[in-house]
Amino acid sequence: MKKRLTLTFWGMLVAFSVMAEAVKVTSPDGEYEFTVSDDGQLSYSLFYQQKEVIEPSRLGIEWNENWYDGIRIVTSRNSRIDKNWKPVYGERAVVKELYNACEIELAKTGSRKRMVLDVRAYNEGVAFRYRFVGGEYLKIENEFTQFTLPKGTLAWHTERAQTPYNLLPLEGWENESDRPLMLQLPEGQYACLAEAQVVDYVRTKFKLSDEKPYTLLTSMYGIVEDIAPYHTPWRIVMCASRPGDILANNDLLLNLNPDCKIADTSWIKPGKVMREVTLTTEGGKALVDFAVKRRLQYIHFDAGWYGFEYDKSSDATTVTLDPRRNEQIDALNLQEVISYAKSKGIGVILYVNQRALQQQLDEILPLYKSWGIAGIKFGFVQVGSQIWTRWMHEAVKKCAQHGLMVDIHDEYRPTGFSRTYPNLMTQEGIRGNEEFPDATHNTILPFTRFVAGAADYTICYYRQDFGRLHTDKDSYGVPRSRTIQTTPAHQLALSVIYYSPLQYMYWYDKPSDSQDEPELKFFDDVYTTWDDTQVLQGKIGEFVTIARRKGEEWFVGAITNNDAREQEISLDFLPQGKSYIAEIYTDGDKSVKTRTRVRCQRYLVNAQSVLRFSLRASGGAAIRLVLDTGDNRNVRNYRKQKL
């Protein structure tokens, strides 16, 4: 009996010696608690505000060996970073970078290899990645990372970067969902799954697990091959009580990328852009004049200026018009337009399809620089595979070497690379005005797509039925029957709500479309980068209000979905003790004599003011707030009247 008890004691001792303690990483404010355990399988869980947001979920990856089972924690090392940094441009003038970090060394039963799980816990969210040390060849074929959510969680699902959103339960999906993925938790909280620093990897999306309910898996586009040292992108979980707080914390993606690598950034200049649609010298010059008049900084020549963009034989070093766009092949003297634009202080951006970029990049970059081009818009990019992902970011680096800004179009979604190479100004990866979405879609985007960063939505204005839509197609191929589905004030407000350092305005318009409506002053005045941003209010798919500051000026954008809405906006974000002139733009009625029916009003306001709006269905409101200098004696105080 005595001998049996002794054996039992030693058996228990051995069992406890091989069972590593769980590693916990908490955010500096204590709101997040990320726990990693190795009970035969590596797993993690996440608590936010003492509530379990991610239930125990598997970690693991297939790299040369299958690191699925038998993974154990060897050691862990903690560190802390606390600093501020100033971006070249952004939604804020200063970004706080504060986090607790842990490097967890991992081993696998029967293997001599080691892997590291890097974890960072910020006040804004938690991120983790797999890191490979040494110098061996890597072939990554699968990630086993799971996200097990509480029962009843709903997801704002979208199949691709430019498709509509649907609110779905975590079951019965017909396809994967793109990222970021906003989640509504059953107890009223919100979570968002995202990724950062996808520079030399494959695109991953989210799919449902066939084996574990309420569980999402990372779905890789394909195989990744490289040589260690190497790491995967960061997997991110952000949580909040309000969805707007997740949007307000989207600097987290930038913080998970390296510092800026461009020594001199003085040539990187954000601004407003308008597209030239006639592909003629006269049209180009007319657009330059319009840009000067309407305080735009750039004009843009879109597809067709160097030939048919889908033909690999089209030469992007020559001006050879696509006859589908303009039958007069000598109608555009590009150098003449560039010279004229430069004399007026306007920059020129050129569109180039990826077919030409892939073949001619090293040739066109110094050429375009010699022409005086300010930037390039990459068109119809391929972004799924590691090859194309790597090529894309290397192309952005090469553009930086030649002093050229970049706008990437189509399926590319940002993951924070603009911190490292801020010449990547913006990107599409959004169902924008090219698709003529409705207002409800527009109220979803701030809480989903814009969590990832800037988006080129292509704001429209005159693409509405003013009794002029009588032809089948425009000269640039868009059916006249397709018009924007929101009000003019809604489009004005989008220029504040939707962040894009290169903000494309008047997308389907020409200078001749404008009748100098007085509300265009808002487009004239609005900036594209900011010193401060505050998400004032919002509910996904219903409404959103965002305030942004540049210097001492504030701009506010508010939109509703397809429904009319009574909305109050508190101006308590203004500094106390100061008066402001509020320039307010709303959708009016027939008493407004312009065809756009936008009412323009001015009132004296302060931090105690609460503006009351009756927003039309699919409508919005745009507000500019400037310090009162005392010279506006004819401006009345705001008295809580409906706007």
Side-chain angles (χ1 to χ4, degrees), residues 305-306 312 314-319 334-335 338 349-379 391 395-396 398-406:
W305 70 268
Y306 66 87
K312 290 184 72 174
S314 294
D315 186 356
T317 68
T318 66
V319 181
L334 184 58
Q335 285 296 323
I338 294 171
I349 297 171
L350 296 180
Y351 172 96
V352 184
N353 187 289
Q354 191 179 34
R355 289 168 174 81
L357 290 170
Q358 190 268 337
Q359 296 180 104
Q360 298 182 285
L361 185 67
D362 292 334
E363 183 179 5
I364 66 176
L365 295 184
L367 178 66
Y368 290 179
K369 188 64 177 178
S370 71
W371 287 358
I373 295 301
I376 302 176
K377 176 179 167 183
F378 291 11
W391 178 91
V396 172
K398 289 183 177 181
C399 286
Q401 293 168 7
H402 292 86
L404 293 168
M405 297 182 294
V406 177

Side-chain angles (χ1 to χ4, degrees), residues 126-190:
V126 173
F128 57 91
R129 69 181 181 186
Y130 305 102
R131 180 159 53 88
F132 309 96
V133 296
E136 69 176 299
Y137 167 79
L138 299 174
K139 185 176 183 180
I140 301 172
E141 299 188 60
N142 196 9
E143 278 194 41
F144 305 127
T145 308
Q146 296 179 343
F147 303 87
T148 299
L149 284 305
K151 181 181 179 180
T153 297
L154 301 175
W156 284 95
H157 176 284
T158 185
E159 181 181 358
R160 297 189 302 278
Q162 295 175 275
T163 50
Y165 284 86
N166 293 288
L167 186 60
L168 302 178
L170 299 186
E171 58 184 4
W173 290 7
E174 295 181 0
N175 41 54
E176 300 172 340
S177 182
D178 215 328
R179 69 277 181 266
L181 180 60
M182 179 64 80
L183 303 165
Q184 295 183 194
L185 305 181
E187 294 189 19
Q189 291 182 314
Y190 293 82

Side-chain angles (χ1 to χ4, degrees), residues 132 196 199 222 268 315 371 432 437 443 458 526 564 566 592 631 634:
F132 309 96
V199 176
I268 300 175
D315 186 356
W371 287 358
T443 60
T458 55
V526 74
E566 300 297 310
V592 182
D631 299 329
N634 59 334

Side-chain angles (χ1 to χ4, degrees), residues 464-482:
Q464 301 185 58
D465 191 349
F466 298 128
R468 65 181 179 85
L469 308 182
H470 55 273
T471 58
D472 291 335
K473 288 185 178 181
D474 286 311
S475 59
Y476 43 99
V478 178
R480 280 285 194 180
S481 60
R482 300 187 69 191

